[in-house]
Each structure stands twice: as C-alpha cells, then as structure tokens.
Amino acid sequence: MEDTIAAISTALGVGAISIIRISGGEAIEIVSKIWSGKDLSTVPSHTIHYGFIKDGEEKIDEVLVSIMKAPKTFTKEDVIEINSHGGIATTNRVLELLLTNGCRLAEPGEFTKRAFLNGRIDLIEAEGVMDLISAKTDKSRSLALSQMTGNVSSMIHDLRKRLVSIISNIEVNIDYPEYEDIEVVTIENIKENIAYIQAEIKRILSRSETGSIIKEGIKTAIVGKPNVGKSSILNRLLEEEKAIVTDIAGTTRDIVEGDIAIDGILLHMIDTAGIRKTEDIVENIGVQKSLEWIKKADLVLYVFNNNEIITEEEKELLEKVTEKPSIIIVNKTDLEPKLELPNVDIPVIYMSALENKGVEELRNEIKKLFHLEEIEQNDYTYLSSARSISLLKQCLQAVESVIEGVSQELPIDMIEIDLKNIWNLLGEIIGETYSNELIDEMFSRFCLGK
C-alpha cells in the first residue's frame, strides 16, 4: 500500500457531476501537478476548493477539489476527491492525467480494502459497505447500515472479551499452580461463561436466517404442468406483462424472472417451463431446468388447474415440492371445479389470475410462511454473509466441545485449546485474523472506485 491509487467513483456516463477519488501518501503532490488553484499542501484538511484541472497550459475542466488529510479519512491516508463535470470524455481525461503523473489505477474495492487494512473498519463493516451499495429494499439498506456502523461487530467483540477473561484465568491457573483454590474458580468460571457464549451464539445464528432473507431475498420458483396459469400468476405478482401468456401448452420454454418486494423483503420470482413428459427437445431442456430450480429455490409455488383432474405426474412432483417451504396455488377458480387435491401439509391458496383474485391472499401466505411481519423494524444486528454464518457455526461446535470437555473433567490446558480456537474463529468474522487470499477475493467483488 505504498503507492497512491485513483479511480472514478461515480457511474461513468453523462451526468452533472463525476467524482475521481485519490488515496495515498502522494495524493496531494500528484493532484497539485495538474491543479490550478490554491496551494493544496497548505490548505486545511476537510475543505473544498475551486479551480481547474490542467494538462500543461490546456484547461481540461473546471472542478471542485475536496482535500482530506490522514488519518481522519476513510482509508486513513490522504484522500482527494475531484468533482468534475459529468461526461465520459472529461472524466476519463482527468483520470488519465492522474495516472500519467504517478497514480496507479485502483483495483475493485481497493479503497475499502485499505480502510480495512489500516484499521479504519473491520470485515463485517466492509461487507456492510458492499451490501449498502447493492441494497434493493429499505430493510436491506438498514441491515447494511447496521453492519457499517459497527452495531453487528460489537456483538462479536463482546464475546471475544468474555473469552479473554476465561483464557486469562486459565493461564493464571497454569502459571501459579501453588494456589489451590484457583482451579475450582476457573472451572466454575468456564461453566458460567461458556453457557452464556453458547446461548448468545445460538441467538445470533437463529436470527442470521432473517438477516440472510433481508440481504439475499427469497428465491421463488413457480412450477406446475403446462397451461395451469404460471405465467399469468407471475404477471399478476409483478403487476406487469413480463411472461408470454397463451392457451397453447408449453409456451414457456425458458426461465422468466422478475422481482417483487413484500414487506421490504425481495422475492426473486422464477416462472419455470411446464413440467411434463415431452418429445420436444427444446421443451424437455426447459423441463429439466424447472426441476433444477425446485432444488435451488427457497420457496416453491406449485400451481394446479382447478378445472382439471390431478395427474400422476403432478402427484410425483408434489412429493418433491413438500421437501421445502411451499404453497399450493389452485388457479382458474373462475372455471368449473374438477380438481381433488391429496391431503398434504402445505398451505393452499385459491386464485383466478384471469380475474385477479387471490393475489393478496398469496402475498399474505408468503409473509406468514417466512414470518416477515415478525422481522424487527428497528433492530438489524444480524449476521448476513455466508462467510460469517459459517464461521459462527464452527464456533458453536467448538463451544460444545468445551462443554463436553468440562463435563468429562478434561485437563484445563486441553479445554483452553478449544477456547482459543473459538476466540480465533470470532476474530476471523471481524477480520482480526485473516488470510490474504480471503481479503483479495472478498474485495474483488466491490465496484471500482469504492
């Protein structure tokens, strides 16, 4: 991180303003080479200055330059932001001049990576930055902001502090064995604290499923045999004619997708091809994709035709559907009822996509199935990334090993090994311990200039 980096931080295109960000030890020196205005080396930190970007004697753009001196910046390095007029040619020319005069083009996410490596933020807060950029609902925005501001990290820090207390007691026990009463106190201390840590980890994990739903949304597959009204239901939910609707069976041969929000939670809707045995090669590929989507989906909406008798194929598919959260939709209730459903423990919604009936009932059933109304409005201290949740599950396993070791009266130094393992795993969640490969991979998913 010895070099100075630069990148365009706003979307490249026609607009009122573009921002080019520079960070590093030579930021002020490099920008001064192409700057016409006040002496940037003498101006106070966190001030904005009017002037021009120049290439020799040629004026390139009229700009405002924000100067922020280390360490009170996002990266804890000198940071300059050049606010130029929006436009591809102008913005690229300013960036080109910076690169010519000593900057290196920043890698994706490198500004945030430097903030992490310089101790400005931890890994959970860094993930919050990325999640805030990609947030599509108000709830996902609130979740990301809670991570960014350190609310989530504080839970992990508290657990690590409690572990340090236990480990230090054990170290005293090992280093000063002449004090006969220490071992009893240490074992009791372990029992009390490890029980608290176990309960707290379980609480966080139980809520992490909610955090994942807020962040990732619910993958929802609409399945059923051809011509039962799957595409019509998708169009009703999306409130637009996204999927082609005809009376010809097999019209939908590929996946049609769309997103809706229910109580601030995003549902990724997938209208699959009608599932049936077919000799049509193209349609058969679509059927296979539909079966794959059933496995991948978080929610399956299984659609039946109210006007038709259930087939053996539909009964076979019903067995696959019952293995995960599902809702049966009996569509075309405007027609004569002929359908007799087998007894299954799945919610059933009666709809008429043609008459736009039953849509609200379906929305309410989805809310009920995923407890969307119970998601707390003001408390977003959840872990939401697969990385963090996986590490916390490993912590829980190690905690259970400690509890078992205590019950079996294992030597205290063996119990200490598991306690230190928990402490290290919690450290990986917030980035106190990490591998370079993990950091490089994680920040490579950020947009350029962030």
Side-chain angles (χ1 to χ4, degrees), residues 89-148:
T90 301
T91 308
N92 277 333
R93 184 68 184 282
V94 174
L95 179 61
E96 179 187 330
L97 285 172
L98 290 167
L99 299 180
T100 302
N101 283 276
C103 284
R104 171 177 62 79
L105 184 64
E107 299 172 357
E110 190 168 359
F111 291 94
T112 309
K113 181 179 178 181
R114 289 190 175 203
F116 165 70
L117 293 175
N118 288 329
R120 171 67 174 75
I121 58 175
D122 62 30
L123 273 190
I124 292 179
E125 291 167 326
E127 288 172 331
V129 172
M130 183 165 55
D131 292 345
L132 188 63
I133 293 170
S134 58
K136 294 181 180 178
T137 67
D138 196 50
K139 275 191 171 68
S140 58
R141 175 196 60 77
S142 297
L143 175 64
L145 194 61
S146 181
Q147 292 183 199
M148 277 181 59

Side-chain angles (χ1 to χ4, degrees), residues 252 293 360:
T252 303
W293 264 110
E360 195 59 34

Side-chain angles (χ1 to χ4, degrees), residues 349-367:
I349 298 295
Y350 292 88
M351 292 184 64
S352 171
L354 179 66
E355 298 177 346
N356 199 21
K357 292 180 179 178
V359 177
E360 195 59 34
E361 288 81 357
L362 176 58
R363 287 173 176 266
N364 289 334
E365 191 58 48
I366 293 172
K367 284 159 56 174

Side-chain angles (χ1 to χ4, degrees), residues 256-270:
V256 181
E257 300 183 48
D259 291 342
I260 64 169
I262 297 180
D263 274 15
I265 305 298
L266 206 64
L267 266 68
H268 305 290
M269 309 292 298
I270 301 106

Side-chain angles (χ1 to χ4, degrees), residues 8 10-18 85-92:
I8 300 167
T10 47
L12 192 59
V14 178
I17 296 292
S18 287
H85 288 95
I88 296 173
T90 301
T91 308
N92 277 333

Side-chain angles (χ1 to χ4, degrees), residues 1-215:
M1 299 195 300
E2 298 299 323
D3 49 0
T4 297
I5 57 174
I8 300 167
S9 291
T10 47
L12 192 59
V14 178
I17 296 292
S18 287
I19 298 175
I20 302 96
R21 179 178 291 164
I22 307 99
S23 179
E26 298 180 349
I28 296 173
E29 179 184 342
I30 293 172
V31 173
S32 295
K33 294 177 183 179
I34 62 172
W35 162 256
S36 176
K38 287 185 178 180
D39 184 351
L40 297 180
S41 64
T42 62
V43 300
S45 181
H46 293 77
T47 55
I48 300 176
H49 305 278
Y50 167 82
F52 291 88
I53 297 296
K54 298 179 69 175
D55 183 6
E57 296 302 315
E58 179 190 1
K59 287 184 178 179
I60 303 302
D61 194 17
E62 181 184 33
V63 300
L64 291 174
V65 167
S66 303
I67 182 163
M68 293 158 278
K69 297 180 181 179
K72 294 184 178 181
T73 68
F74 180 62
T75 62
K76 299 190 79 172
E77 303 171 335
D78 287 343
V79 173
I80 293 179
E81 291 184 350
I82 300 173
N83 294 259
S84 68
H85 288 95
I88 296 173
T90 301
T91 308
N92 277 333
R93 184 68 184 282
V94 174
L95 179 61
E96 179 187 330
L97 285 172
L98 290 167
L99 299 180
T100 302
N101 283 276
C103 284
R104 171 177 62 79
L105 184 64
E107 299 172 357
E110 190 168 359
F111 291 94
T112 309
K113 181 179 178 181
R114 289 190 175 203
F116 165 70
L117 293 175
N118 288 329
R120 171 67 174 75
I121 58 175
D122 62 30
L123 273 190
I124 292 179
E125 291 167 326
E127 288 172 331
V129 172
M130 183 165 55
D131 292 345
L132 188 63
I133 293 170
S134 58
K136 294 181 180 178
T137 67
D138 196 50
K139 275 191 171 68
S140 58
R141 175 196 60 77
S142 297
L143 175 64
L145 194 61
S146 181
Q147 292 183 199
M148 277 181 59
T149 53
N151 293 343
V152 180
S153 301
S154 63
M155 298 187 303
I156 306 302
H157 283 293
D158 289 344
L159 291 177
R160 294 191 94 215
K161 286 178 182 176
R162 191 171 283 256
L163 279 165
V164 166
S165 175
I166 303 172
I167 294 168
S168 63
N169 278 343
I170 292 175
E171 293 290 345
V172 170
N173 181 78
I174 294 171
D175 292 341
Y176 302 99
E178 62 270 22
Y179 294 99
E180 296 179 359
D181 61 336
I182 287 180
E183 185 172 351
V184 176
V185 172
T186 303
I187 290 294
E188 291 305 314
N189 183 270
I190 290 174
K191 286 181 179 179
E192 178 184 343
N193 282 281
I194 208 67
Y196 171 85
I197 291 170
Q198 182 188 41
E200 192 67 6
I201 289 176
K202 285 183 176 180
R203 183 186 69 82
I204 296 170
L205 282 173
S206 69
R207 300 177 68 185
S208 66
E209 183 178 347
T210 299
S212 182
I213 288 174
I214 293 173
K215 177 183 173 181

